[in-house]
Amino acid sequence: MEKYSFVLLFFMIVVGLPVILGVGGDSFRRWLRHKEKMAEALNAQTAEKAAQYAAHTERLEQRVRVLERIVTDRGVVLADEIEQLRETPPRIERPN
């Protein structure tokens, strides 16, 4: 009986352990490849969102520049118009 248990133990070590390690190693490699692909997909998605945010930010900056220009340019023109109104006497229209 002891001889059979020794043979069984020997068989488990010589055959079973390499089979288990081979299957486990292959599964681990597949899992690692899957994780790498998921990380690549996440990186691509993150890069795309970053590009969209950058484009949106650029559009907003352009709009702010236009608004600043309108406010500052119109402010100078408006100030000049106010000063011209102060300098000219009001017209009094006479009935004909």
Side-chain angles (χ1 to χ4, degrees), residues 3-96:
K3 187 176 183 182
Y4 291 118
S5 56
F6 177 73
V7 170
L8 183 62
L9 181 65
F10 179 76
F11 179 76
M12 291 290 278
I13 291 174
V14 171
V15 176
L17 193 60
V19 169
I20 291 171
L21 290 177
V23 170
D26 186 49
S27 297
F28 183 70
R29 279 191 293 276
R30 285 183 185 186
W31 180 77
L32 280 179
R33 273 186 272 154
H34 172 71
K35 285 294 185 181
E36 287 174 357
K37 287 181 182 180
M38 293 297 289
E40 289 173 4
L42 184 62
N43 287 340
Q45 187 180 26
T46 303
E48 182 180 336
K49 283 192 179 227
Q52 289 174 353
Y53 289 143
H56 183 67
T57 302
E58 179 63 30
R59 285 192 303 270
L60 289 175
E61 286 176 357
Q62 288 174 355
R63 292 179 72 181
V64 168
R65 279 189 222 114
V66 168
L67 290 173
E68 286 175 344
R69 191 181 50 200
I70 289 171
V71 168
T72 56
D73 290 350
R74 182 67 184 145
V76 171
V77 172
L78 184 61
D80 289 341
E81 289 177 5
I82 291 171
E83 289 302 318
Q84 285 177 358
L85 289 173
R86 286 185 186 160
E87 293 173 2
T88 59
R91 291 186 201 170
I92 301 176
E93 293 195 20
R94 298 182 190 162
N96 289 342

